[in-house]
Amino acid sequence: MRDSHNSSLPGEEEKILRTPAFDEAFSAYSSDPPKFLDKILAESINLSSSDILFEPREEYVEVRLRIDGVLYEIGKINQDAYLQLTSRIKVLSSLDPTEKRKVQEGQYAIRDYQGVIVNLRVEIAQTTSGELIVIRVHKKETIVMSVTELGFSKVALENFQNMLKKRSGLILVCGPTGCGKTTTLYSTIAKLNESEEYNVMTIEDPIEFKLEKVNQMQVAKEVGFTFADGLKTILRLSPDIIFVGEIRDRETAEIAVESGLTGILVLSTLHAQDSVGAFIRLLDLGIELYLLKSALNGIIAQRLVRKLCLNCRIGYQPTQVEVDFFQKVIGHPPKQLMKGKGCSACQNLGYKGRMGIFEVLPITLRVRELLKSGVNEEELKEKLGKEDFFVTLLKDGLEKTEQGLTSFDEVIKNSLRVV
Ligand SMILES: [Zn+2]
């Protein structure tokens, strides 16, 4: 019952997407490139695309969209009017229209059909076949959500909220690029910020969205202003909550841990497979176990999975592979499994929107006890597996599959993917 495209990894799939609005846009291309651009952008935003790509090939330029992490070809345009189109995009995003060799980054904003401001980040690079343009769409409501909308299960949400209550210590979110770490943390910051007055400071690379009542700073590699420098600067500015875009070196890790121990709530991300992997990564960076045990409030690992379209999802008879998998991971066969049939509401994709699947490891007294005998990755995972409060990424995903929120394929593909 599975489509072949479902077995490939995100980014490796390619599908074709056609809508009447796109047809109209493509028919305007040669005579009116600005009109083509307006229409492409409007429809892409309407379809909740995150990226729009103009990719020059030998004979033509391919136009593709990314929706819920998957790329779709929406059409091809010839090279004739492409120069006009690139100039138009460069002017709109305050870039130099005559510059063709250097990589250029710009941005501009438009309004969607509801009047909501949408920020567009434009990247232009010269390839062997012409200028490649990537337009990244940033809509505020997709970046900041309410914490309860993120997709935490009841137990996970409780654990997460307990970590936040402490108002000091370190909270880490880990996973690969594009797994929704920023959305989780931005939403958390927005939530913390709405109830009380805090000095919230961030050091990011890049700043993905301007947050209300938050003092955001950007890493500037060209002048040597790193995450660690930013963090040191922030500590002199009386912060209550700090968001460090990423911990990737020992110095940043050390300052983050120290800050967490001195009454500041520090939120950050780490490139690691899962929660235990992130813990080990911090030890590998040279942080002492006793410091980690007292500074860490908890670690969250997350992935994004596509949500089944509510309009066309239907139940089906689970396969033997699915039954065996459920039996092994959660100890019983699936109660029900669903898939999207495809309908006009989801452009026949069977999916609409994405949600997080989460693994939440709160560093409780119990976990500290488990850490007493030292840390061995496999042993720790085995011990945690016996604890009720600990739900792995895979288990959380399978539970959401059983609830008909997503598909088995989505969960397997995303939770087992190596970071
Ligand atoms: Zn549908």
Side-chain angles (χ1 to χ4, degrees), residues 309 311-312 342-343 345-346 350:
C309 171
N311 196 43
C312 65
C343 69
C346 60

Side-chain angles (χ1 to χ4, degrees), residues 309-313 340-351:
C309 171
L310 294 179
N311 196 43
C312 65
R313 61 176 183 180
K341 219 168 53 171
C343 69
S344 59
C346 60
Q347 273 76 40
N348 273 321
L349 306 175
Y351 295 98

Side-chain angles (χ1 to χ4, degrees), residues 344-409:
S344 59
C346 60
Q347 273 76 40
N348 273 321
L349 306 175
Y351 295 98
K352 204 169 183 197
R354 285 195 288 181
M355 66 188 296
I357 55 174
F358 298 95
E359 174 175 300
V360 179
L361 175 62
I363 308 298
T364 54
L365 279 175
R366 175 74 189 134
V367 175
R368 291 194 181 103
E369 219 177 277
L370 294 177
L371 290 166
K372 253 185 194 156
S373 52
V375 187
N376 171 292
E377 191 165 352
E378 288 314 310
E379 265 175 38
L380 184 57
K381 278 184 185 171
E382 204 187 310
K383 284 184 202 161
L384 284 169
K386 293 179 188 139
E387 303 286 333
D388 284 340
F389 69 85
F390 186 67
V391 177
T392 61
L393 269 173
L394 190 56
K395 205 170 162 191
D396 187 48
L398 291 181
E399 282 171 3
K400 283 167 177 155
T401 306
E402 246 186 337
Q403 293 159 18
L405 299 172
T406 184
S407 70
F408 182 77
D409 288 350

